[in-house]
C-alpha cells in the first residue's frame, strides 16, 4: 500500500493554525486602531453569533468540565466585546449624527419598538434592566457558585486522590486507569479554579459597559452641542449609546448565562436537554395532575385570563396522562419479564463462598492518612514501591501490592501491618517529628539526649532498638551528634521491609510458586521438565515448601535455576523437604557466605563443642512434618542460655553472629534455637565456599558447674 502524504503546508491548514493567534492579536489591536462602520457591523454580528454558539455548546455538552477552553473563551470574548465597544464609541463621537452603524441603529430603534423620545426612554430603561439582571443576578450568582465549586473541588481533591491510590494498590484498577482518573480530578479542580477567576471578566465587562455608555452620552452632549452645533443632541447620542450598549451587552448576557449553566451543573453528565427531559418532564404523574388542577382553579377566579390558563392546563393534563400510560406499560413489561407471581419472602443476598483476603495490607490511623497523599509531598507510596522492587531483587520473590486503607479503630498516629488478615507488626508515628536511632556500638547517651533535644524516648518499630523523637528544629543537631535520623515515610517503609523479610515464607503462596515455574518454563524448559519428571514429578506444594524453607532463614531464592537444578539432582535420592532444603543450601554456598561476610570477605563464626553437637544430633526425632530437635528440657534451657551468651559476646564486638556446625546438625541446631533466636544464622561445613575466609571467634559449650557458658576466643 502506498504511503499517504499529508500536506501540512496547505493554505487551509495554515489558516487553521494561524487563525486563533491572529484573532486574539486583532481583537487587542482593535481597541487602539479605528475601523469603518461596515467592519464594525460585521464584527458585532460575529460577536452575537459567537456568544449564541457558546451558549448552545454549553447546553449540549455532555460534561461541563470537558469544555476546558471555556475560561479562556470568557476572557477573549470579554476583550472582543470591549474592543467593539471602544471602537463604536470612537465612531459615534467622531461622526456624530452622520454615524451609520446599522447594528447599533437597529438595536436602538427596532429592539425598543417605539420611535421618538418615548423609544429613547424605553431603550434606556431596558438597558438599565439588562445591566442589573446581568450584574446583580446572573454574574454575581454564577461567580458565587464558581467560587464555592472551586473551594469544594480543591478540598475534595486529596481524599479522591487517596481513594484512587488505594484502588491501585489493591489491584482494583490498572496504573493507566489510576493515572487517567487523577488527571481528570486535576483537570476538574483546575477548571473550577479558572472559572472562579473568569467570572470576574463578566462582571468587569458589565461595569465597563455602563461606564462607556455614560461616557458616550456625556461626550456626545459636549461634542454634538459645542463642536458640531447639532440641534437634536439628546435624542441622537442617547439613542446611539443605548443601541451600542444593547448590541455589546446582549452577547455578554448570553455568555453569562452559559457560564451560569456550566458552574451550576457541577460534575453532572449528559447534556442539559437530556437532563431536563429526564429530571423534569419524566417525574411522577401526580406532579402534573396537581399543576393542571391549580391552573383550572386559577382560570375560574375573577380577573384571571381563562383563555390562557385553560389551554395550558389541558396541555399539562395531557402530558400527565401520557406519562402515566408509559409508566404503566413499563411496569407491565417488567412484571412479564420477572414473572407475575412474586415470592412472599425474598431470600437474603447470598454471601459468596470466597471472601477476598488481602495478602499484605497496611492500616493507617486518620492522622497518618496524609502520608499517602502525593499532593502534600508524601513519599510513602513511592517508598513502598521501592521496597517491593528491592525485596524482589534481594529475596527473589515479588510480594503482592500492599492494600492501604484508613482504620478508625486505630489511634490517629498508629499504623498496622497484616498478612492474610493477621496482625504482624504495628507502630506509632509522630507527624512533624523525626526518629533518631543510635548507630552501631557508639557511646551515645540516649537518656541524656532526650532531655538535651527536648525529645521523647521511644523504640524503633522495625528492630526494637531505643530511639528518640525530635522536632524539625532539632534534626540537624541530632545528625551532628551522630544519630541516624529517619523521617516518618522511611520508618514505615523500613518496617515493611523487615516484615517482608521475616514473613517472606508466609507470603509466598501456591499460586505464586506456580507463576514462578510458568515464567521459568519459557526460558529454562529443560530445568522445569527435569524437576517435574522426577519419580512421577515434584508437586507444586513440595517446591513451594522448599522455597519457604529457604526464605524462612532469609536465603534469597533469586537464583532459581541453581535451586531447581539441585532439586532435580537430589529428588531421586530423597523427597523429604528438609533434606532437599539442605542440598539446595549447599548449592547456594557462595551466595549464603556472601550474605554473612564482611567487606573483607571474612565470615566470623561460632563453633559448637563436639560433645554438645553430638547430643543435639542424638536428640533428633521424626515427626509427620519433618525432623525436630527433642533435647531434654534442662539441657535445652542450658543450650539456649549458652547460645545467647555467645551471640551477645560476638555482637558486642560489632560482628554478625553465625554458628558453624556439621551438615547433620545444622537443621537441628536451627530448629532448637528458632523459637528464642529466630534471626540466628546457622550454616554447615558443606556450605563453606573457598572464596571466603572463615574465622572462629568462639565456642559454644555447656559448663556442667553452671547452666551455660560461652567461651569467645582471643582472636
Amino acid at each position: 500500500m502506498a504511503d499517504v502524504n499529508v500536506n501540512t503546508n496547505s493554505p487551509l491548514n495554515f489558516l487553521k493554525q494561524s487563525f486563533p493567534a491572529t484573532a486574539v492579536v486583532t481583537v487587542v489591536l482593535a481597541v487602539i486602531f479605528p475601523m469603518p462602520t461596515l467592519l464594525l457591523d460585521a464584527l458585532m454580528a460575529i460577536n452575537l453569533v459567537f456568544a449564541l454558539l457558546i451558549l448552545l455548546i454549553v447546553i449540549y455538552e455532555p460534561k461541563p468540565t470537558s469544555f476546558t477552553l471555556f475560561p479562556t473563551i470568557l476572557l477573549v470574548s470579554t476583550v472582543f466585546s470591549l474592543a467593539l465597544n471602544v471602537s463604536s464609541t470612537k465612531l459615534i463621537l467622531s461622526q456624530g449624527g452622520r454615524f451609520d452603524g446599522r447594528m447599533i441603529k437597529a438595536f436602538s430603534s427596532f429592539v425598543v419598538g417605539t420611535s421618538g423620545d418615548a423609544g429613547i426612554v424605553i431603550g434606556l430603561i431596558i438597558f438599565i434592566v439588562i445591566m442589573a439582571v446581568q450584574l446583580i443576578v446572573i454574574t454575581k450568582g454564577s461567580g458565587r457558585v464558581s467560587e464555592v465549586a472551586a473551594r469544594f473541588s480543591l478540598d475534595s481533591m486529596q481524599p479522591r486522590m487517596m481513594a484512587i491510590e488505594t484502588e491501585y494498590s489493591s489491584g482494583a484498577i490498572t496504573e493507566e486507569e489510576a493515572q487517567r482518573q487523577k488527571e481528570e480530578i486535576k483537570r476538574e479542580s483546575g477548571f473550577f479554579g479558572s472559572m472562579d477567576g473568569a467570572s470576574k471578566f463578566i462582571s468587569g465587562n458589565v461595569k465597563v459597559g455602563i461606564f462607556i455608555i455614560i461616557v458616550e452620552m456625556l461626550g456626545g452632549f459636549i461634542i454634538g452641542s459645542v463642536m458640531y452645533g447639532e440641534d437634536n443632541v439628546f435624542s441622537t447620542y442617547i439613542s446611539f449609546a443605548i443601541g451600542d450598549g444593547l448590541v455589546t451587552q446582549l452577547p455578554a448576557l448570553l455568555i453569562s448565562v452559559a457560564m451560569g449553566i456550566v458552574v451550576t451543573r457541577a460534575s453532572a453528565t449528559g447534556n442539559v436537554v437530556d437532563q431536563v427531559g429526564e429530571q423534569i418532564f419524566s417525574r411522577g404523574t401526580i406532579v402534573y395532575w396537581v399543576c393542571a388542577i391549580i391552573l383550572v382553579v386559577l382560570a375560574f377566579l375573577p380577573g384571571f385570563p381563562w383563555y390562557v390558563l385553560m389551554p395550558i392546563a389541558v396541555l399539562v393534563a395531557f402530558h400527565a396522562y401520557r406519562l402515566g400510560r408509559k409508566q404503566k406499560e413499563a411496569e407491565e413489561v417488567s412484571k412479564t419479564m420477572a414473572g407475575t407471581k412474586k415470592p412472599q419472602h425474598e431470600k437474603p443476598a447470598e454471601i459468596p463462598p470466597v471472601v477476598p483476603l488481602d495478602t499484605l495490607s497496611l492500616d493507617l490511623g486518620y492522622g497518618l492518612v496524609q502520608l499517602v497523599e502525593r499532593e502534600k509531598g508524601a513519599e510513602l507510596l513511592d517508598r513502598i514501591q521501592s521496597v517491593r522492587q528491592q525485596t524482589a531483587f534481594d529475596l527473589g520473590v515479588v510480594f503482592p501490592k500492599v492494600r492501604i486503607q484508613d482504620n478508625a479503630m486505630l489511634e490517629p498516629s498508629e499504623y498496622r501491618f497484616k498478612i492474610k488478615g493477621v496482625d504482624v507488626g504495628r507502630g506509632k508515628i509522630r507527624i512533624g517529628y523525626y526518629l533518631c536511632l543510635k548507630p552501631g556500638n557508639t557511646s551515645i547517651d540516649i537518656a541524656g539526649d532526650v532531655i538535651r533535644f527536648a525529645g521523647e524516648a521511644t523504640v524503633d518499630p522495625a528492630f526494637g532498638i531505643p530511639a528518640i523523637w525530635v522536632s524539625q528544629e532539632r534534626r540537624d543537631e541530632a545528625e551532628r551528634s551522630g544519630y541516624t535520623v529517619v523521617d516518618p515515610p522511611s520508618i514505615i517503609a523500613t518496617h515493611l521491609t523487615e516484615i517482608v523479610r521475616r514473613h517472606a515464607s508466609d507470603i509466598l503462596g501456591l499460586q505464586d510458586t506456580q507463576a514462578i515455574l510458568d515464567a521459568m518454563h519459557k526460558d529454562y524448559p529443560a530445568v522445569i521438565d527435569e524437576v517435574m519428571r522426577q519419580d512421577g514429578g515434584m508437586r507444586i506444594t513440595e517446591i513451594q515448601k522448599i522455597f519457604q524453607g529457604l526464605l524462612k532463614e532469609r536465603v534469597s531464592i533469586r537464583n532459581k535455576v541453581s535451586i531447581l537444578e539441585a532439586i532435580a539432582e537430589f529428588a531421586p535420592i530423597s523427597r523429604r523437604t528438609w533434606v532437599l532444603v539442605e542440598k539446595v543450601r549447599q548449592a547456594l554456598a557462595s551466595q549464603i557466605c556472601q550474605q554473612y561476610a564482611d567487606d573483607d570477605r571474612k565470615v566470623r563464626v561460632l563453633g559448637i563443642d563436639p560433645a554438645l553437637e553430638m547430643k543435639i544430633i542424638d536428640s533428633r526425632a521424626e515427626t509427620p512434618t519433618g525432623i525436630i530437635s527433642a533435647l531434654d528440657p534442662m539441657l535445652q534451657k542450658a543450650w539456649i542460655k549458652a547460645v545467647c551468651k555467645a551471640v551477645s559476646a560476638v555482637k558486642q564486638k560489632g560482628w554478625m553472629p553465625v554458628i558453624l556446625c556439621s551438615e547433620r546438625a545444622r537443621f537441628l541446631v536451627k530448629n532448637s534455637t528458632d523459637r528464642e533466636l529466630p534471626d540466628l544464622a546457622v550454616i554447615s561445613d558443606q556450605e563453606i565456599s573457598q572464596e571466603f575466609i572463615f574465622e572462629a571467634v568462639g565456642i559454644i559449650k555447656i559448663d556442667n558447674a553452671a547452666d551455660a557458658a560461652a567461651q569467645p576466643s582471643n582472636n
Side-chain angles (χ1 to χ4, degrees), residues 642-661:
V643 173
C644 291
K645 285 188 176 183
V647 167
S648 178
V650 172
K651 285 185 176 180
Q652 288 179 359
K653 295 183 179 181
W655 300 330
M656 177 182 293
V658 179
I659 296 179
L660 177 64
C661 58

Side-chain angles (χ1 to χ4, degrees), residues 167-305:
E167 291 183 359
Y168 170 64
S169 300
S170 63
I173 58 177
T174 62
E175 182 178 0
E176 292 77 11
E177 178 65 17
Q179 190 66 27
R180 186 193 66 79
Q181 293 185 15
K182 289 180 185 178
E183 291 297 330
E184 184 176 352
I185 293 175
K186 292 179 181 178
R187 183 170 58 250
E188 181 179 328
S189 179
F191 175 80
F192 284 114
S194 300
M195 287 300 301
D196 184 25
S199 62
K200 306 300 186 296
F201 297 144
I202 302 297
S203 61
N205 185 20
V206 176
K207 296 174 183 177
V208 172
I210 296 174
F211 175 75
I212 291 177
I213 296 305
I214 295 175
V215 170
E216 283 187 5
M217 290 189 293
L218 294 178
F221 292 155
I222 297 173
I223 295 175
S225 59
V226 176
M227 299 179 61
Y228 297 152
E230 297 178 353
D231 297 332
N232 197 7
V233 176
F234 177 80
S235 60
T236 299
Y237 287 96
I238 293 293
S239 176
F240 286 159
I242 293 172
D244 189 15
L246 291 175
V247 78
T248 54
Q249 290 304 317
L250 182 58
L253 178 62
L254 297 176
I255 296 292
S256 298
V257 174
M259 182 186 70
I261 292 175
V262 168
V263 297
T264 53
R265 288 180 64 197
S267 58
T269 56
N271 58 55
V272 176
V273 177
D274 295 337
Q275 291 179 348
V276 169
E278 178 183 354
Q279 301 181 24
I280 296 180
F281 293 109
S282 297
R283 295 296 182 181
T285 58
I286 186 64
V287 175
Y288 299 100
W289 282 119
V290 172
C291 182
I293 293 172
I294 293 175
L295 290 174
V296 171
V297 173
L298 290 176
F300 283 99
L301 294 178
F304 283 86

Side-chain angles (χ1 to χ4, degrees), residues 580-632:
L580 293 177
V581 168
E582 295 301 311
K583 296 303 180 182
V584 169
R585 287 179 59 93
Q586 295 170 18
L588 302 176
S590 297
Q591 172 187 315
I592 294 175
C593 292
Q594 177 67 44
Q595 185 174 345
Y596 304 124
D598 296 336
D599 295 336
D600 55 359
R601 302 181 70 80
K602 182 179 292 186
V603 182
R604 295 176 172 87
V605 296
L606 288 167
I608 303 177
D609 179 67
L612 178 59
E613 181 176 333
M614 186 56 63
K615 290 181 180 180
I616 295 174
I617 295 174
D618 293 339
S619 70
R620 167 178 169 173
E622 296 281 350
T623 67
T625 57
I627 62 171
I628 62 172
S629 173
L631 289 172
D632 178 83

Side-chain angles (χ1 to χ4, degrees), residues 314-362:
V314 171
L315 290 176
V316 173
F318 178 70
H319 177 70
Y321 172 73
R322 292 184 69 249
L323 185 61
R325 288 191 58 184
K326 287 183 179 180
Q327 292 178 352
K328 187 176 181 180
E329 292 175 357
E331 291 177 359
E332 291 178 354
V333 171
S334 62
K335 287 181 180 180
T336 303
M337 296 178 62
T340 56
K341 186 176 180 180
K342 295 184 178 180
Q344 294 181 352
H345 300 285
E346 296 183 356
K347 295 182 179 180
E350 292 290 339
I351 300 176
V354 178
V355 181
L357 185 64
D358 299 314
T359 303
L360 184 57
S361 63
L362 170 60

Side-chain angles (χ1 to χ4, degrees), residues 64-254:
T65 53
S66 61
F67 194 14
T68 56
L69 195 61
F70 189 64
T72 305
I73 289 177
L74 283 179
L75 171 61
V76 175
S77 64
T78 301
V79 176
F80 186 34
S81 179
L82 291 176
L84 296 179
N85 219 333
V86 172
S87 299
S88 63
T89 301
K90 288 190 294 185
L91 290 175
I92 291 172
L93 295 179
S94 62
Q95 296 180 5
R98 297 178 289 106
F99 177 73
D100 59 347
R102 297 288 183 177
M103 291 291 293
I104 292 178
K105 285 186 175 181
F107 272 85
S108 64
S109 59
F110 177 76
V111 175
V112 174
T114 305
S115 60
D117 295 338
I120 294 175
V121 175
I122 294 174
L124 184 60
I125 294 174
I126 291 177
F127 176 75
I128 294 174
V129 170
I130 291 177
M131 294 297 100
V133 170
Q134 185 172 351
L135 181 62
I136 300 175
V137 180
I138 300 177
T139 305
K140 187 175 181 180
S142 300
R144 177 58 178 166
V145 172
S146 62
E147 179 183 353
V148 174
R151 184 181 305 169
F152 276 90
S153 178
L154 185 61
D155 292 342
S156 63
M157 185 176 179
Q158 312 303 334
R160 293 171 67 185
M161 287 288 190
M162 180 182 174
I164 294 174
E165 287 292 346
T166 302
E167 291 183 359
Y168 170 64
S169 300
S170 63
I173 58 177
T174 62
E175 182 178 0
E176 292 77 11
E177 178 65 17
Q179 190 66 27
R180 186 193 66 79
Q181 293 185 15
K182 289 180 185 178
E183 291 297 330
E184 184 176 352
I185 293 175
K186 292 179 181 178
R187 183 170 58 250
E188 181 179 328
S189 179
F191 175 80
F192 284 114
S194 300
M195 287 300 301
D196 184 25
S199 62
K200 306 300 186 296
F201 297 144
I202 302 297
S203 61
N205 185 20
V206 176
K207 296 174 183 177
V208 172
I210 296 174
F211 175 75
I212 291 177
I213 296 305
I214 295 175
V215 170
E216 283 187 5
M217 290 189 293
L218 294 178
F221 292 155
I222 297 173
I223 295 175
S225 59
V226 176
M227 299 179 61
Y228 297 152
E230 297 178 353
D231 297 332
N232 197 7
V233 176
F234 177 80
S235 60
T236 299
Y237 287 96
I238 293 293
S239 176
F240 286 159
I242 293 172
D244 189 15
L246 291 175
V247 78
T248 54
Q249 290 304 317
L250 182 58
L253 178 62
L254 297 176

Side-chain angles (χ1 to χ4, degrees), residues 672-691:
S672 63
T673 59
D674 198 41
R675 182 184 297 273
E676 292 80 5
L677 300 169
D679 298 329
L680 180 62
V682 182
I683 63 176
S684 71
D685 51 9
Q686 297 299 317
E687 297 170 17
I688 295 177
S689 174
Q690 301 299 326
E691 303 172 4

